[in-house]
Amino acid sequence: LAAALLLPACSDPEAAVKTAKAHGFRDVQVTGHRWTGCGRDDDTSTGFTAFNQNGDAVSGVVCSNWSPFGKTNTLRIDE
């Protein structure tokens, strides 16, 4: 039960939308915490769906971690 209550803390919807839009995706919808797709050093894992520059529907994950130099985000598209 405790793990289920902490899951929202394991995603960062605002960063996911901002990162996806910065990469040219539009109509970004956050799908919540993702269990897969990020590295073991990532602190958050947020799934999303969107449309790419060609109008194709895509899904992916934005992985985030805290570093001494600030927060970094990585976007990965599902194949």
Side-chain angles (χ1 to χ4, degrees):
L1 178 61
L5 294 174
L6 293 175
L7 280 181
C10 297
S11 72
D12 189 346
E14 187 175 315
V17 170
K18 183 177 179 179
T19 301
K21 286 183 176 181
H23 281 85
F25 294 98
R26 60 182 171 77
D27 300 327
V28 179
Q29 299 293 314
V30 172
T31 59
H33 174 72
R34 287 266 307 258
W35 289 100
T36 61
C38 293
R40 63 183 164 134
D41 293 330
D42 290 314
D43 299 314
T44 65
S45 174
T46 308
F48 72 93
T49 59
F51 291 94
N52 65 16
Q53 296 87 343
N54 297 326
D56 299 322
V58 297
S59 64
V61 62
V62 174
C63 308
S64 303
N65 65 32
W66 291 93
S67 74
F69 307 105
K71 191 172 186 178
T72 60
N73 298 315
T74 305
L75 184 139
R76 296 181 178 151
I77 300 299
D78 298 331
E79 293 186 53

